[in-house]
Each structure stands twice: as C-alpha cells, then as structure tokens.
Amino acid sequence: MNIELTEEHLAVRDAARDFAQNVLKPGVIDRDEQQRFPAEEIKQLGELGFMGMMVDPKYGGGGMDTISYVLAMEEISKVDASCSVVMSVNNSLYCWGIEKYGTEEQKQKYLVPAAKGEAIGAFCLSEPEAGSDATSQRTTAIDKGDYYLLNGTKNWITNGGSASYYIVIAQTDVEKGHKGINAFIVEKGMEGFVVGAKENKMGIRASDTHTLLFNDVKVPKENRIGEDGFGFKFAMSVLSGGRIGIASQALGIASGAMELAIAYSKEREAFGKPIHQHQAIAFKLADMATDVEASRLLCLRAAWLKDQKINFDKESAMAKVFASKTAMWVTTEAVQVHGGYGFVKEYHVERLMRDAKITQIYEGTTEVQKIVISRSILK
C-alpha cells in the first residue's frame, strides 16, 4: 500500500483547511448555539467542488479519489462537524450510491445537481424501531404498476429539512425478507411526504436532523435504484463507504481538539513554566498524537482499498470504531488540558467534545461495526 500524498492531494487538503479556518470558523459558535443550518457555507463548499468530490466530472463532480475525500473531511471537521456531516452524507451515501448503481436518467436528474452543490441529498434508512438495521424495515413500498405507494417513518435523517432529494430504503415484499427490500429516490414536495420537526441535539447542532413521514407517496417506477430486491445490497454497499466519511469526521474532530490543546499548552503557564513542560500535560499530548495518527492511517488505508476497488468493509468499520473512540477520548482530554477555559464556548473544545459522541452512534453504532469486523475475521 502506498499512501504517499501527491501534489493534488496536498492542494485539496490546503484548500479545505483554508475554507475551514477562514470561512467556517468565524461563525461556527453562533451556528451551534442557534442550531442554524450552514446554507451559505454549504453552497460555497459546492462551488469549491467539495459536495461531489468523487463523482465523475461528466456528472458535475470533482473526479477525485477517496484519499482526497478523507483529507478534506478531516480539515472541515476540525472546525465544523455540522458542516462536514452534510458534506459526508451528500458525498458518501447519496452521490456515490446513485453514481455506482443508478440509471443514466437517474444520474442526470438526481446526481448532477447534488454533485455540483446546487442541491443536497439525504439517505433514509433509520426507523423508530429499526435503527440502522436494514433487514427490519417497517416502511413499505407497494408495487402499483407504474409507481410504488410509499408509507412509513424514517428517523434521525441528516439533511432531513435541507435536502431536495432523498434515497429511501423500504420493504416491498415482507415474505422475501431482506431480498424484498428496495431503494427509491424521493423528491421533496411529492404529495404525502412530510418533513417532521427538527431534533434538538447535544452535538452537530447546526446540521438539520429530522423525522420524515411518508403517507401514500407515489414514487415513479423509474425512481427505484437497481433491480427489484436490490435495496439491501445497495444499503450495505453505500454504508460501507459512508463509514470512511464518518471515520474521517471523527479523525478531524480529534485532530482539531488536539491542535487546540497543543496551542493552549504553549500559552498557559503554571508553576512558572508553560504547562506543556509538565509531564502530566506532555504525556496527554503524546497519547493524543499517537491515537490521532493511528486513526488517520486507518482512514487512509480504507480509502486506498476503496480506490483500488478492493473490498474495504472490515477496514472501514475498523477506521470508524477506532477514530470515533479516539475523537471522544481526545476531545475530553483537550477540555481537561484547557481546565476551566475548556468549559467555555469561545475555546471551541467543549463543542468538539459534544460533536464527537455522535461519531460513535451514526452510520451504525460501535457495536454494529464490531459485528462487521468479527464476521470478517472469523470467515
């Protein structure tokens, strides 16, 4: 495996870092407090090519590799995880799924606008009782000839209120189990489609997370992705790639908190010298740096395998497990390094700590990822 960064990789990383530090950072605290969706910032991300990074240029994307995506996600997440989760869902779950498995007509109609950043996509799997279990879908899509009649509820949907297009996983034939599941593209504004109230969350508060209600929504037959019964395989494939995005978000949250802790340790003095000269702090920083670097390598490994078209299910799950655990630990320690100031919003680390927790939950909890890993190593 060779993950030596090219000049193109470095240019992508630097562009993302510049955007995060100069555009996102000035308003990130206000957006968090007000739970305000970063609409203008997301539009600018799209103009820079970060909303369809891995999409073929003929469909309006950047044609970049997954390593570039990891680098950009890390830099954006260092500053604003609410913004990066919008970017992650649009890239990993929505655009990648349609480009890989959609028809040419679906790509032209639903992929191009999202890849250009002119529209936002969402991925709808989780349900009130099913969570991320794709085999236990209660949402149904009954074949009515020219269309499917969609009924059900989806929970915890990122971009739920801001998206224009939604990939919805639904059961079409209960007797067939997971082979009776399909994926559909649903447009906002279709009759019977209702966006529920926005969730009041602990972290990633500027991203909009909603419950979605489908009441006899007529979905055209041509909006089904893949052959009849392909929905379960589609969801599993898309989620595996999505783990790379969330692992990279966790990596960014951790590395952002570590950088803030290092900078503060050089400024703050105690007992006559900067606190980084005390072993109690120096050892914390050393442990942070080690776990952050290990997380980065796991993310890049999974990205490299994906780019080589080698199965990466186990590696993406490992990256998500380790990076999310690292994010939670590093942010907590960063608050500790800051002392009382770490509890104050203007120092940013308390927000990063709140944002870190969700990386252990969405795209499948840590326990779900461990099932994926164990099944792979026990084959």
Side-chain angles (χ1 to χ4, degrees):
M1 180 183 72
N2 179 12
I3 52 174
E4 182 178 357
L5 300 182
T6 65
E7 290 186 6
E8 289 78 10
H9 288 143
L10 296 175
V12 169
R13 183 197 65 186
D14 291 346
R17 179 179 297 168
D18 179 73
F19 182 82
Q21 296 296 327
N22 296 312
V23 178
L24 294 179
K25 193 170 184 177
V28 66
I29 293 175
D30 286 341
R31 289 193 298 274
D32 174 76
E33 289 186 335
Q34 298 169 18
Q35 301 187 59
R36 177 165 52 83
F37 184 78
E40 182 57 35
E41 291 79 6
I42 293 299
K43 180 182 177 182
Q44 293 179 56
L45 270 179
E47 293 170 352
L48 290 170
F50 286 116
M51 293 298 284
M53 293 184 68
M54 297 171 286
V55 175
D56 191 307
K58 70 180 181 181
Y59 297 119
M64 302 179 211
D65 61 10
T66 314
I67 289 176
S68 297
Y69 174 55
V70 168
L71 297 172
M73 276 294 297
E74 178 182 355
E75 294 300 327
I76 299 298
S77 302
K78 284 180 181 181
V79 174
D80 190 348
S82 293
C83 196
S84 70
V85 74
V86 179
M87 174 180 161
S88 176
V89 168
N90 202 72
N91 274 283
S92 295
L93 300 182
Y94 183 82
C95 286
W96 188 78
I98 294 180
E99 182 175 27
K100 186 171 178 63
Y101 298 110
T103 64
E104 184 62 28
E105 290 74 18
Q106 289 170 350
K107 293 174 186 177
Q108 293 295 337
K109 185 174 182 179
Y110 298 115
L111 173 60
V112 172
K116 288 182 176 180
E118 297 170 353
I120 296 174
F123 183 79
C124 308
L125 173 64
S126 295
E127 296 187 354
E129 297 181 11
S132 296
D133 180 4
T135 64
S136 301
Q137 298 296 296
R138 300 286 183 90
T139 298
T140 60
I142 306 304
D143 191 340
K144 294 294 185 179
D146 293 336
Y147 62 90
Y148 286 91
L149 200 62
L150 186 66
N151 282 279
T153 303
K154 294 294 183 179
N155 271 21
W156 317 116
I157 305 304
T158 301
N159 303 340
S162 57
S164 297
Y165 311 123
Y166 303 75
I167 295 177
V168 180
I169 309 299
Q171 187 83 49
T172 55
D173 192 333
V174 176
E175 293 183 358
K176 291 183 179 179
H178 72 276
K179 294 183 179 180
I181 293 173
N182 278 298
F184 304 92
I185 304 172
V186 178
E187 298 180 33
K188 179 181 283 183
M190 283 184 169
E191 186 176 354
F193 175 24
V194 178
V195 177
K198 181 179 178 180
E199 301 291 350
N200 186 2
K201 308 187 299 289
M202 176 177 76
I204 58 167
R205 288 167 58 79
S207 71
D208 62 326
T209 305
H210 291 259
T211 294
L212 305 180
L213 307 172
F214 304 95
N215 303 304
D216 287 340
V217 179
K218 292 183 178 180
V219 182
K221 212 59 170 288
E222 59 266 26
N223 281 29
R224 187 187 71 203
I225 300 175
E227 297 298 320
D228 185 27
F230 181 65
F232 177 76
K233 290 183 178 179
F234 172 83
M236 293 301 97
S237 176
V238 169
L239 286 173
S240 188
R243 292 183 192 112
I244 296 177
I246 298 308
S248 303
Q249 182 188 43
L251 165 64
I253 292 170
S255 60
M258 181 186 70
E259 289 177 4
L260 290 170
I262 290 172
Y264 182 79
S265 75
K266 293 177 179 179
E267 299 169 0
R268 175 70 170 172
E269 290 191 2
F271 304 103
K273 57 185 177 181
I275 62 173
H276 72 82
Q277 293 183 15
H278 295 284
Q279 282 191 347
I281 301 300
F283 286 1
K284 285 184 187 293
L285 298 177
D287 287 339
M288 287 182 190
T290 300
D291 284 1
V292 166
E293 188 62 24
S295 298
R296 183 176 292 115
L297 290 171
L298 282 168
C299 290
L300 291 173
R301 165 73 172 167
W304 181 84
L305 288 171
K306 183 172 179 286
D307 289 335
Q308 301 303 311
K309 295 181 171 48
I310 300 172
N311 185 282
F312 57 92
D313 292 347
K314 177 187 69 176
E315 288 77 11
S316 65
M318 285 179 167
K320 183 182 182 297
V321 167
F322 192 84
S324 62
K325 179 172 66 175
T326 296
M328 198 68 249
W329 180 80
V330 168
T331 55
T332 302
E333 289 297 280
V335 171
Q336 193 71 21
V337 169
H338 281 74
Y341 291 105
F343 222 60
V344 179
K345 290 184 181 295
E346 67 183 276
Y347 284 80
H348 295 285
V349 287
E350 66 84 28
R351 186 189 72 258
L352 291 172
M353 185 179 75
R354 288 188 285 107
D355 289 345
K357 185 59 189 175
I358 193 61
T359 65
Q360 294 181 307
I361 299 173
Y362 56 17
E363 300 303 318
T365 63
T366 294
E367 291 72 24
V368 170
Q369 306 311 316
K370 289 181 178 179
I371 291 173
V372 173
I373 296 166
S374 64
R375 285 178 177 173
S376 178
I377 64 177
L378 292 171
K379 280 183 180 178

